[in-house]
Amino acid sequence: MANTILTSGVRNNLLTLQQTTAEQGAIQNRLATGRRVNSAIDNPINFFTAAGLNDRAGQLNGLLDGISNGIQTIQSASKGIDGIIKLVQSAQSTIKQAQADAAQNRPTATSATLGATKAAALGATVTAAGTITITAGSTAYTVTVGATETIRDVVNKINDSGIATAAVNNAGELTIKGTGSDDLVIAGADAVTAAGLNGTHTGAAANSDVRANLVDQFNELRNQINELATDASYNGINLLAGDALSVVFNEKTGAAQNKLNIQGEEVTAANLGIGQAGAGGIDFQNDTDLANASDALTNALTSLRSTASSLGSQLSVVQTRQDFTKNLVNTLTIGADNLVLADSNEEGAKLLALNTRQQLSQTALSLASQADQGVLRLFG
C-alpha cells in the first residue's frame, strides 16, 4: 500500500496539534490527581524526597498513639494521687478528732476537801512543809512545799510540772488533771495537810467511746487508699502499682531512639507509713500514738505531693513532645506536598491556554489542507 504523503505545512500543524493534545492530557491528569509529580518519571528527585518525608511523617504519626496512651496513663496515676491525698487528709481529720476528744478527757485526781474557807482564800498557808510527787506514766515530778507557802503557790508549782495542771473547784477540792493520756498518780506527804494532799490519789485514763468509734473510720480510710491506688491503671499499666511506662518519641531504633522511661512506685498505706489502728497498731486512747500517727500522715502527704510533682513534670514532657510531634508531622507533610502537589490555579490557566492553542492549531491545519486542495484544482 502506498504511503500517504503530507505536505510540510500540514505535517507541522499536525505535530503542533499532537503536542498540544499531549500537554492537555498531562495537565488534566494533574488536575484530576492534584499532583504534578505522580511517579519517578515526572521528577525523580522530588518524587523520592517526598516519599521519604511522607514515610517519616507516617511513622511519627503512628507514634502519636503511643504518646497519647502515655499521657492518659500518667494522668490516671496523677488523678489517683490526688484522690489518695484527699483520703490522707480525711485520716488526718480523724486523728485530730481523737486528739480533741483526748484533750477533753484527761486523767484527773481529786484531793480531799479543803474546806470553804481555804477554798475561798487560796492565800492561806499550808500547815507544814512537805513534798508532792506527781507521776504520769513513766514521768515523775516532785513539788517541794514550804511551811510558809500558800495554796496558790502549790497550784502554781504543780502547773509548772508540765505533766499536770491544778485548780481548786467550787466544792473546795484541789483537782489535778494530767496533760497527757497516761494514768495520773499523786502522792502527797502527810504533813502537807492544808493542801488536802495527804495520802495517795489516782486518776486513771478512761477509754473514750468516741475515739473507739474513730478507729473503724480511720481503718476504712486506710483501706480506701489501697483500693484507689489499685484502680488507678490505664490500658493495663498502673504507675501506682509499681509498673513501668516507656513513651517513645521518635522513629529511630537502638541508641538513636528517644524515649521517656517512667518507673512507677507501689503506693499503699503501709508504704506511706500509715499504720493500722486498733489492737497491735495505733492506740487511739494514747496521746503518743495519736501524735505519731499525725506525724506519719504529714510525712505521707509530703511523699504524695512529691510523687504528684514528679508525675506532673513527666506529664509536661510527654505533652510537649506530643505537640512537637504533631507539628513535625505537619511540617513533613507540607514539605512533601510542596514537592509533588499541583497548583490547581496554575494548571487551570495552562489548560485554558492549551485549549486556545489547540483551537488555533486546528484552524491552521484546516488552512494548510485547503491550500493543498487548491493545488489539486490546477490539475482538474
Side-chain angles (χ1 to χ4, degrees):
M1 185 174 77
N3 293 329
T4 302
I5 299 174
L6 300 175
T7 64
S8 61
V10 172
R11 188 176 295 280
N12 288 336
N13 282 292
L14 181 60
L15 180 60
T16 299
L17 185 59
Q18 289 173 337
Q19 290 174 341
T20 300
T21 302
E23 289 183 36
Q24 282 178 315
I27 291 177
Q28 288 171 345
N29 184 51
R30 291 173 191 167
L31 288 172
T33 61
R35 299 166 67 89
R36 60 187 171 88
V37 178
N38 286 288
S39 67
I41 296 175
D42 297 330
N43 188 322
I45 294 177
N46 284 14
F47 179 80
F48 288 113
T49 301
L53 293 174
N54 281 326
D55 181 62
R56 188 183 180 206
Q59 291 178 340
L60 290 175
N61 201 46
L63 291 175
L64 283 173
D65 291 336
I67 294 174
S68 178
N69 283 336
I71 288 175
Q72 298 306 315
T73 302
I74 298 172
Q75 286 182 333
S76 294
S78 181
K79 296 296 183 184
I81 291 294
D82 292 342
I84 292 172
I85 285 175
K86 291 179 180 179
L87 291 173
V88 172
Q89 289 172 335
S90 295
Q92 277 187 320
S93 297
T94 303
I95 294 295
K96 288 178 181 178
Q97 290 179 55
Q99 289 175 320
D101 180 73
Q104 295 175 359
N105 296 278
R106 294 302 185 195
T108 303
T110 303
S111 76
T113 301
L114 293 176
T117 302
K118 290 187 175 63
L122 294 180
T125 58
V126 296
T127 58
T131 59
I132 303 169
T133 303
I134 306 170
T135 305
S138 59
T139 304
Y141 184 86
T142 300
V143 176
T144 301
V145 181
T148 60
E149 291 185 290
T150 65
I151 302 300
R152 187 182 301 278
D153 293 329
V154 175
V155 169
N156 290 338
K157 287 187 175 183
I158 293 174
N159 289 339
D160 290 340
S161 68
I163 60 174
T165 59
V168 176
N169 60 24
N170 292 332
E173 296 172 333
L174 179 65
T175 59
I176 301 176
K177 181 180 292 188
T179 57
S181 57
D182 293 322
D183 291 346
L184 192 66
V185 178
I186 309 297
D190 291 341
V192 194
T193 55
L197 286 174
N198 48 310
T200 300
H201 304 266
T202 302
N207 286 336
S208 165
D209 291 338
V210 172
R211 277 172 277 166
N213 292 333
L214 290 174
V215 169
D216 291 337
Q217 182 177 320
F218 182 88
N219 285 336
E220 179 57 31
L221 289 169
R222 187 177 183 276
N223 292 336
Q224 287 300 320
I225 290 173
N226 295 334
E227 292 178 7
L228 194 154
T230 301
D231 292 336
S233 64
Y234 180 84
N235 198 30
I237 299 177
N238 189 346
L239 294 176
L240 302 188
D243 294 342
L245 172 67
S246 181
V247 185
V248 179
F249 296 134
N250 66 7
E251 76 284 7
K252 300 176 182 178
T253 60
Q257 188 178 70
N258 193 344
K259 61 183 178 180
L260 176 65
N261 293 320
I262 302 173
Q263 179 57 57
E265 57 181 287
E266 188 175 2
V267 177
T268 64
N271 288 346
L272 290 171
I274 305 173
Q276 186 87 12
I282 302 170
D283 184 358
F284 267 51
Q285 307 294 336
N286 183 275
D287 280 2
T288 301
D289 276 20
L290 290 174
N292 290 338
S294 179
D295 291 342
L297 291 171
T298 299
N299 293 335
L301 284 177
T302 301
S303 176
L304 288 169
R305 286 175 179 138
S306 176
T307 300
S309 176
S310 178
L311 288 172
S313 176
Q314 291 162 340
L315 178 61
S316 178
V317 170
V318 179
Q319 287 176 328
T320 299
R321 289 307 300 255
Q322 181 187 50
D323 293 339
F324 169 77
T325 302
K326 286 180 179 178
N327 290 329
L328 182 56
V329 168
N330 188 55
T331 299
L332 293 170
T333 303
I334 291 174
D337 290 345
N338 289 339
L339 293 173
V340 298
L341 293 187
D343 184 336
S344 58
N345 293 324
E346 180 182 355
E347 299 300 336
K350 287 181 179 178
L351 182 60
L352 182 61
L354 287 172
N355 288 340
T356 302
R357 185 192 301 175
Q358 183 184 48
Q359 291 174 359
L360 293 174
S361 297
Q362 288 173 342
T363 300
L365 180 60
S366 176
L367 293 173
S369 297
Q370 290 176 7
D372 289 343
Q373 290 175 1
V375 173
L376 292 175
R377 290 193 190 99
L378 297 175
F379 298 97

